Amino acid sequence: MPSRHIRVKGAPEAPLRAALAALRADLGVPETFRSEVLAEAESTARFPAVPGHDATDIPFFTVDPPTANDLDQAMHLSRHDGGYRVRYAIADVAAFVVPGGALDSEAHHRVNTLYFPDEKVPLHPPVLSEGAASLLPGRPTPAVLWTIDLDGEGRTVTADVRRALVRSRAKLDYAGVQKRIDEGTAEEPVALLREIGEARERLEVARGGISLNVPEQEIVEYDHTYELTYRAPLPADAWNAQISLLTGMAAADLMLGYGTGVLRTLPTAPDGAVTRLRRTAHALRIEWPHHVSYAELIRSLNPRRPRHAAFLQECTTLLRGAGYTVFRDGVLPSNTTHAAVAAPYAHCTAPLRRLADRYASELCLAAAAGEEPPDWVLMALDTLPKQMAEGARRSGTVERECVDIVEAALLKDRVGEVFDGCVVEVEARRPTVGKVLLQQPAVIGRIEAAGPLPLGERLPVRLTEADPGTTKVRFAPA
């Protein structure tokens, strides 16, 4: 099942809410924070470690979904020396979390923020993640400040990182940024997001990297029923992502030069995975000539077209196998590259929501200053990849189960109906079992047949089961 972000627009009805609550209970997802964690968060929110460098004169802005308050990044973009200067402020979680304290222990237990259709379960208490540590506008906040100078084509010339006090001036959202840029009303620091983003996209193409503009599934409630649609990402989403990728690549290069660090790595996809995607493309009537590479095909797709959106969802399967690779004392790992980025890359831009980013920031700060990393960072490195892998598995389970629950809620009153489907997966050992993709509604479900399933072929299918309580959607050939 592909990895998908799902959000429910409107109030979920009772069966869906109950099924999601049951899922959280089954997975042992904590509903609240322990009292000692909350007490420590309240204290450090009032008295964080304040950096010596003051950068509050720089008019930073954030770009996030309109309802988000856990703001990890703020940026300021400008022209500089024939190219560009990117200032990227990252929430300094270490200014609020005492190593070995209750907050630190809880963060290592949770590992990352979990997203459910009806709520999120945060990595840190909201008093920090949506309060004191968040880069909300209008107040000074401790940050890890990256200053990255680019040439006229968007290539990195120099990169520096230090702790600083920053103050965001504006909380912007993707749609608003897109509108301002399209209308030509954006001030230069915002307007440059397009110029720099597109330059970085061209460099990504040149090095063979891939950015998947995967649509969000959105469950919209209409008169006590649901409609499943896709929210296709805007160009501004992709430009914003390029700034984060730029910073992650700078962080990886800095740590590799330093000899100690933690990278986000991904091996090249095996031939079998790409072959399966070719079959899916055929099933969705997407032409993929053999002389066209996977990266070229991805860039030709329009996520606003349903068939293309479905294929992009399936492409996320090639991202399986990503992990965290730790190295130290100048002994570099055999693989330092993230295959989708097509370069060394590190997670460092979302410390409010992901544990590893706090450690990557500390290692980068040490590297830039030519100093030894803090002992608490070095002591955690050996166990960090395993913790992050366990957190990723939990997040993956949440995503898959939520997809099943929401799709079952969407289809629960349509058992017995026939839909137009495409067989997109067949089990190697059991060719009578596989997965079928519906174009309308946008659902992928398990199918079982009496005989071998026709992989890559269109097939009318009958819905045989859809129960949010058991999180199952099943089909059979009609």
Side-chain angles (χ1 to χ4, degrees):
M1 180 70 71
S3 173
R4 284 175 275 186
H5 297 291
I6 296 185
R7 55 179 181 170
V8 176
K9 195 171 182 179
E13 62 178 16
L16 178 55
R17 290 199 306 270
L20 293 170
L23 173 61
R24 286 188 283 271
D26 290 344
L27 295 177
V29 174
E31 293 288 341
T32 60
F33 287 90
R34 291 177 289 121
S35 59
E36 58 267 34
V37 175
L38 293 173
E40 185 177 320
E42 292 282 354
S43 176
T44 60
R46 292 193 299 271
F47 304 106
V50 179
H53 181 64
D54 190 333
T56 55
D57 61 318
I58 301 171
F60 288 98
F61 61 92
T62 60
V63 184
D64 288 278
T67 59
N69 287 314
D70 50 346
L71 310 185
D72 286 288
Q73 316 104 10
M75 74 180 78
H76 181 266
L77 310 175
S78 59
R79 300 189 186 278
H80 177 76
D81 197 22
Y84 310 96
R85 171 162 286 178
V86 175
R87 292 186 177 98
Y88 207 45
I90 309 300
D92 188 3
V93 174
F96 298 88
V97 177
V98 178
L103 267 173
D104 189 29
S105 175
E106 184 69 14
H108 278 266
H109 173 66
R110 295 187 177 222
V111 181
N112 48 28
T113 296
L114 297 176
Y115 293 91
F116 293 83
D118 57 337
E119 66 177 55
K120 67 182 176 185
V121 180
L123 174 61
H124 304 100
V127 68
L128 295 181
S129 61
E130 298 186 6
S134 176
L135 298 177
L136 293 162
R139 55 180 176 75
T141 310
V144 175
L145 176 57
W146 286 87
T147 301
I148 305 174
D149 287 342
L150 310 175
D151 65 17
E153 295 181 340
R155 295 185 181 89
T156 299
V157 178
T158 62
D160 175 70
V161 60
R162 62 173 64 187
R163 282 196 154 89
L165 201 65
V166 303
R167 181 169 63 235
S168 174
R169 300 296 199 276
K171 181 176 182 285
L172 307 181
D173 62 78
Y174 297 108
V177 166
Q178 189 71 56
K179 185 173 185 290
R180 292 185 197 186
I181 291 176
D182 290 346
E183 292 176 347
T185 59
E187 296 181 358
E188 183 172 83
V190 176
L192 283 176
L193 182 61
R194 177 179 192 167
E195 196 170 319
I196 296 172
E198 289 181 344
R200 294 297 301 180
E201 287 175 337
R202 288 191 291 271
L203 292 174
E204 182 178 74
V205 171
R207 68 175 185 267
I210 300 164
S211 288
L212 287 177
N213 293 322
V214 181
E216 282 187 335
Q217 275 185 303
E218 185 171 83
I219 314 300
V220 184
E221 186 182 21
Y222 289 111
D223 193 24
H224 304 294
T225 63
Y226 293 108
E227 178 179 328
L228 182 58
T229 62
Y230 283 120
R231 175 198 172 267
L234 297 167
D237 294 56
W239 304 331
N240 187 60
Q242 285 295 332
I243 303 299
S244 181
L245 283 170
L246 165 69
T247 308
M249 293 166 68
D253 288 342
L254 188 58
M255 288 186 286
L256 286 168
Y258 182 58
T260 298
V262 54
L263 303 177
R264 181 67 169 168
T265 55
L266 175 69
T268 302
D271 291 340
V274 178
T275 299
R276 188 189 64 78
L277 275 182
R278 283 191 173 276
R279 292 167 178 163
T280 303
H282 174 72
L284 293 170
R285 291 175 290 155
I286 294 173
E287 291 191 17
W288 187 354
H290 280 279
H291 68 275
V292 174
S293 70
Y294 168 67
E296 288 178 279
L297 176 70
I298 293 303
R299 284 188 284 272
S300 73
L301 300 181
N302 181 354
R304 290 171 177 79
R305 296 178 62 183
R307 292 200 309 275
H308 291 189
F311 184 73
L312 285 168
Q313 296 285 3
E314 286 297 303
C315 288
T316 61
T317 59
L318 292 195
L319 301 181
R320 293 172 183 168
Y324 292 87
T325 300
V326 166
F327 58 98
R328 61 170 74 210
D329 302 325
V331 181
L332 301 186
S334 58
N335 178 32
T336 62
T337 299
H338 191 290
V341 180
Y345 172 64
H347 273 164
C348 66
T349 62
L352 292 176
R353 294 169 284 169
R354 200 167 46 207
L355 176 65
D357 297 46
R358 171 159 52 108
Y359 289 87
S361 286
E362 292 300 318
L363 290 165
C364 288
L365 288 164
E371 300 173 349
E372 282 291 312
D375 288 341
W376 62 268
V377 174
L378 295 175
M379 290 174 60
L381 285 185
D382 289 339
T383 57
L384 190 61
K386 182 180 178 181
Q387 288 178 322
M388 295 305 299
E390 291 172 351
R393 281 194 291 271
R394 184 163 57 245
S395 294
T397 299
V398 167
E399 288 181 351
R400 289 190 300 272
E401 294 293 331
C402 285
V403 167
D404 286 344
I405 289 172
V406 172
E407 291 180 343
L410 172 71
L411 295 172
K412 65 183 176 60
D413 297 324
R414 302 182 68 178
V415 173
E417 287 190 31
V418 175
F419 299 86
D420 183 25
C422 298
V423 178
V424 295
E425 187 174 315
V426 175
E427 293 186 9
R429 295 184 178 181
R430 293 190 299 169
T432 60
V433 178
K435 291 179 181 176
V436 62
L437 180 147
L438 311 186
Q439 289 190 31
Q440 192 60 246
V443 166
I444 299 173
R446 182 181 174 89
I447 182 170
E448 297 185 15
L453 288 165
L455 182 62
E457 298 295 330
R458 307 187 70 79
L459 184 72
V461 295
R462 189 181 307 279
L463 179 64
T464 60
E465 184 179 354
D467 182 357
T470 60
T471 69
K472 301 296 182 185
V473 172
R474 296 186 186 277
F475 297 88

